Amino acid sequence: MKSCKDGSFSNGGLRQYGNIEISPSAAVLNYGQGIIENLKAYKNKNGSIILFRVEENGLRMRVGADRMCMPAPTIEQFVEAVTSTVSANERWVPPSNKGFLHVQPLLMGNGPVLSLIPAPEFIFLIYVTPVRNYFEGGLKPINVVVENDIHRATLGGVGNIKAIGNYAGIMKAQAKAKANGFSDVLYLDSIHNRYLEEFSTANVFIVKDNTISTPVLGRTILPGITRKSIIEIAHRQGFKVEERLVPVEELFDADEVFCCGNAVCVLPVGSITLNGKRTTIEEKSVPLIRHH
């Protein structure tokens, strides 16, 4: 699907997966003018295919596009594009509980740009691929490390949207963590280097008694759709939910810590390593994410 001069998008079409043509001076290649989204298609036990809150992804892309000086498809166009692409690839959706069809929408600036200005043309595309569960251990607790030197976002930046440039900057910390046997990295704020922000691709929650806490949304925290759903469910289940600044010290007094996102779904944290010291998260009550 390509943008028109008035910023609207023409109706798109399906084509076989393959390389696409793009200008070497495209804004997405030279200035990072691009946004991604991530969602999944599942099969349930009766074989039907399920998508989760697709319209929320479409809305989040439009919000991010505005920040990046980009037009975006309407939410209706986004939903139709996702459902059409998934339907055309129905045979690739894994069986129930065996994985999922990863759906990757991408909005990018194309056309020749030789200076720091918005692209003259924008392309919206979606590709899909079947994958296994993100962590092979399933719902087993993961081991994470708190990163002190590298930050995933700064105030005034684009940490609260899915700009394509947000991810390459944390690859070094992620690679180091994986090499040292950790499952993921937990990042702190860039000003005080004390308050929790996010994992590499997931939001973070801590549980203490009947209270669930998570970093408050702002200019550095991505408004995760799974995060939003957990907060809504927690309220209905009678939990107190706090969206606030969460000091890193609270991790070690929590009854439970977990992460959530499109890629990881919801996973418990089993241990946290900070400054070389590893602490096991003791489950003092029935684990929230297993109980509910």
Side-chain angles (χ1 to χ4, degrees):
M1 189 183 294
K2 292 186 178 181
S3 65
C4 304
K5 289 184 179 180
D6 64 358
S8 64
F9 278 77
S10 59
N11 292 327
L14 294 166
R15 64 175 65 178
Q16 291 292 326
Y17 181 87
N19 295 337
I20 62 172
E21 185 173 317
I22 189 169
S23 169
S25 58
V28 68
L29 297 179
N30 294 273
Y31 299 108
Q33 193 179 26
I35 295 175
I36 61 171
E37 273 296 329
N38 307 103
L39 55 156
K40 299 174 180 176
Y42 298 89
K43 274 188 180 176
N44 64 15
K45 292 181 179 179
N46 66 15
S48 60
I49 297 175
I50 300 171
L51 290 164
F52 181 69
R53 307 186 83 169
V54 185
E55 68 284 349
E56 294 282 351
N57 294 89
L59 174 61
R60 188 168 64 181
M61 175 169 274
R62 289 185 61 82
V63 172
D66 180 71
R67 171 66 176 83
M68 299 284 283
C69 295
M70 306 169 71
T74 65
I75 296 175
E76 292 76 14
Q77 285 178 312
F78 183 96
V79 172
E80 173 62 26
V82 169
T83 54
S84 296
T85 309
V86 170
S87 295
N89 290 279
E90 180 178 357
R91 68 191 186 279
W92 295 110
V93 183
S96 178
N97 297 322
K98 297 295 183 181
F100 52 88
L101 189 72
H102 177 85
V103 184
Q104 183 91 11
L106 169 62
L107 179 64
M108 58 184 178
N110 192 22
V113 173
L114 295 177
S115 58
L116 191 58
I117 59 174
E121 175 187 273
F122 296 87
I123 297 174
F124 173 69
L125 62 84
I126 299 173
Y127 64 89
V128 300
T129 185
V131 296
R132 286 185 274 180
N133 292 326
Y134 191 75
F135 288 108
E136 294 182 359
L139 198 60
K140 295 179 181 178
I142 60 173
N143 302 312
V144 303
V145 60
V146 178
E147 175 59 46
N148 282 314
D149 297 322
I150 294 176
H151 299 281
R152 60 165 295 279
T154 58
L155 288 175
V158 290
N160 61 337
I161 66 172
K162 291 186 73 69
I164 60 172
N166 287 350
Y167 301 92
I170 61 174
M171 286 182 180
K172 186 171 184 178
Q174 181 79 348
K176 180 180 177 182
K178 294 284 187 180
N180 289 326
F182 296 105
S183 304
D184 207 349
V185 179
L186 180 56
Y187 296 91
L188 303 177
D189 74 287
S190 62
I191 296 179
H192 304 95
N193 208 38
R194 181 192 175 195
Y195 298 103
L196 303 184
E197 293 250 311
E198 292 183 28
F199 290 96
S200 300
T201 57
N203 294 111
V204 58
F205 284 81
I206 67 171
V207 183
K208 182 66 176 178
D209 299 325
N210 198 52
T211 301
I212 303 174
S213 301
T214 189
V216 62
L217 295 180
R219 290 176 287 175
T220 59
I221 305 295
L222 185 72
I225 296 163
T226 310
R227 174 190 183 276
K228 178 180 179 180
S229 303
I230 287 173
I231 291 172
E232 292 171 356
I233 293 170
H235 278 304
R236 290 201 295 266
Q237 293 283 352
F239 288 92
K240 179 182 178 182
V241 180
E242 295 181 345
E243 297 180 72
R244 59 179 174 83
L245 294 176
V246 182
V248 66
E249 297 85 3
E250 291 191 23
L251 289 170
F252 308 107
D253 188 45
D255 296 334
E256 187 178 359
V257 179
F258 65 91
C259 62
C260 70
N262 177 72
V264 301
C265 296
V266 182
L267 283 175
V269 173
S271 75
I272 298 170
T273 299
L274 174 64
N275 296 325
K277 181 181 179 181
R278 176 170 174 163
T279 302
T280 300
I281 303 299
E282 298 289 346
E283 294 172 343
K284 305 177 181 65
S285 59
V286 178
L288 172 76
I289 65 174
R290 295 187 186 127
H291 185 61
H292 295 282

